[in-house]
Amino acid sequence: MTGKITIGKIILGAAALCVMIGSFVVVGYVKSLFKGPDYAELPSCYPFKSAAKEKQYREYYEDRMKEWPMPSETRIIVTSYGRTAVRLSGRESAPPLVLLPSGFASSLIWLPNIEGLAPFFRIYAVDNIYDVGLSVNSRPVTTGEDLTAWLDELLTELGLDDGVTLMGLSFGGWLTSRYALVRQGRLRSAVLAAPVATLFPLPGEWAWRGIVGALPPHRFFMTHFLINWMCPNLANAKDEYKKRLLDHWMNDALMAMKCFTFRMPITPTVLTDEELRSLQIPILFLVGENEVIYPAAQAVDRLKTVAPWIVTKIIPDAGHDLTIAQTELVNSTILTFLQGIGIDSRKGYNAVR
């Protein structure tokens, strides 16, 4: 009897030890995702999974860039945070408009809007230093403060010391609001297009749908758990052009998912009433009527209550996809707003400046 109990205890102890070791392995792997890479010994292919994946992505990216609707050039700008890819379009003498992409997207996200905006502005379409695209961070980027410091360095290196209009979509919209808080004097104006968080916390549904949407088979789960939810107008569009734009958008994301290593994303935050009131430059807030990250009407109501000088516009027949689902309306709203605050987009700044 004693022998049987002892053997049983040994078996149980061994099993417990195996479970413990397995748990340490799993926990260690999860912690490694949060910790990030060793920046002292980054592989030459970082942030890609391999040299082959880097080649594949760059070839895909360059092929997509052939769709840019007008002459442009790509510059690689070096800051203390790494190398940033910026695509320039439009007359050099035109007012500067800096475009920040949404999360898990590059400057390619602005392709539908360029034709309508570049004739009036000098466009600087940026690949976020800590996201997909051709930009490569060479040091940790873990907070919103890191991103605003990087963006400030980038504008300096581009020679954009003041008079800048900064426009961001989704995560880029949130970053635009954060930058305006700390470097308001450098900006002429700002456009926040469906900024994530910013006005209300991200819903829990955003998190679990994002996780499920990244599961294989990627296209199936991305379509059914993310796109159909975030972009109902595009998902149900009958227009072949809009269907093609949605396909391109998904292909961009799927290619990035295939080629890039995981980097722990920065969580966007909500601006306090005091922070919103401190924003004294002209600001345009755009939101689709079918937005899912917060109710469009409630977002507008908060701004009208706390910072009524911020211009707001609810875009009909659009959700988080507003810049693609309603490209012409979004572009015309931006142009009307900027011309109305003293920026003559045909000749540069007018006497109101």
Side-chain angles (χ1 to χ4, degrees):
M1 185 72 176
T2 302
K4 289 183 180 179
I5 293 174
T6 302
I7 292 172
K9 287 182 178 180
I10 291 173
I11 293 173
L12 288 174
L17 181 61
C18 289
V19 170
M20 186 180 299
I21 292 172
S23 299
F24 278 127
V25 170
V26 172
V27 170
Y29 173 71
V30 172
K31 283 185 175 180
S32 72
L33 293 180
F34 283 80
K35 182 180 178 182
D38 180 359
Y39 285 92
E41 298 182 1
L42 283 176
S44 60
C45 63
Y46 176 83
F48 299 95
K49 294 178 180 179
S50 66
K53 292 300 182 186
E54 177 180 8
K55 181 175 183 295
Q56 183 180 11
Y57 183 82
R58 288 183 179 276
E59 288 177 350
Y60 172 85
Y61 186 104
E62 291 302 323
D63 189 57
R64 281 278 281 131
M65 273 301 178
K66 293 175 184 176
E67 300 172 30
W68 206 262
M70 54 186 51
S72 65
E73 64 169 313
T74 298
R75 295 182 187 173
I76 302 299
I77 308 299
V78 178
T79 70
S80 68
Y81 283 86
R83 306 188 305 276
T84 304
V86 183
R87 180 161 287 255
L88 288 72
S89 304
R91 291 178 294 111
E92 293 186 20
S93 60
L97 175 61
V98 177
L99 304 179
L100 301 180
S102 52
F104 209 66
S106 68
S107 56
L108 293 170
I109 197 70
W110 295 108
L111 266 169
N113 306 91
I114 295 301
E115 188 171 11
L117 297 175
F120 307 102
F121 301 98
R122 180 62 165 170
I123 301 288
Y124 299 81
V126 178
D127 284 356
N128 192 318
I129 191 69
Y130 190 64
D131 213 322
V132 302
L134 299 186
S135 297
V136 179
N137 65 301
S138 57
R139 60 185 275 193
V141 179
T142 58
T143 65
E145 288 74 18
D146 286 329
L147 286 175
T148 55
W150 154 72
L151 183 55
D152 201 46
E153 287 187 34
L154 177 65
L155 296 183
T156 297
E157 293 299 323
L158 287 168
L160 303 177
D161 296 322
D162 59 16
V164 175
T165 293
L166 189 61
M167 180 164 76
L169 171 63
S170 190
F171 185 86
W174 170 77
L175 178 54
T176 296
S177 72
R178 300 307 306 182
Y179 186 79
L181 287 175
V182 297
R183 292 292 276 145
Q184 201 161 168
R186 194 167 204 171
L187 300 180
R188 179 66 178 84
S189 58
V191 179
L192 313 178
V196 292
T198 309
L199 297 175
F200 296 101
L202 282 170
E205 191 172 3
W206 175 275
W208 75 255
R209 283 183 177 276
I211 293 171
V212 175
L215 296 175
H218 300 304
R219 184 176 293 274
F220 172 83
F221 281 104
M222 183 180 292
T223 298
H224 290 279
F225 287 90
L226 272 180
I227 299 300
N228 290 349
W229 176 64
M230 287 198 313
C231 313
N233 296 92
L234 271 184
N236 297 308
K238 305 300 182 184
D239 183 280
E240 290 301 321
Y241 174 69
K242 289 185 177 180
K243 286 182 179 180
R244 188 165 67 253
L245 288 179
L246 178 58
D247 284 340
H248 286 325
W249 186 15
M250 287 188 62
N251 290 338
D252 292 345
L254 292 169
M255 180 58 68
M257 193 181 299
K258 183 178 181 180
C259 297
F260 281 84
T261 59
F262 175 83
R263 285 178 288 182
M264 189 63 195
I266 293 172
T267 302
T269 52
V270 176
L271 273 64
T272 65
D273 288 354
E274 183 179 358
E275 287 175 327
L276 286 171
R277 281 191 288 266
S278 74
L279 298 174
Q280 294 296 314
I281 59 172
I283 295 177
L284 172 64
F285 171 79
L286 300 174
V287 62
E289 67 171 340
N290 300 319
E291 181 58 79
V292 292
I293 58 173
Y294 40 64
Q298 288 185 27
V300 169
D301 286 345
R302 185 179 178 214
L303 288 176
K304 286 184 176 180
T305 301
V306 177
W309 54 88
I310 293 178
V311 177
T312 62
K313 173 72 173 179
I314 295 178
I315 304 297
D317 299 320
H320 206 63
D321 54 2
L322 73 171
T323 57
I324 301 177
Q326 291 287 7
T327 302
E328 292 184 4
L329 178 56
V330 166
N331 282 354
S332 64
T333 303
I334 293 166
L335 291 173
T336 300
F337 166 74
L338 294 178
Q339 290 170 351
I341 62 172
I343 296 179
D344 187 330
S345 58
R346 294 160 296 181
K347 300 178 182 177
Y349 300 114
N350 66 16
V352 180
R353 180 174 182 242

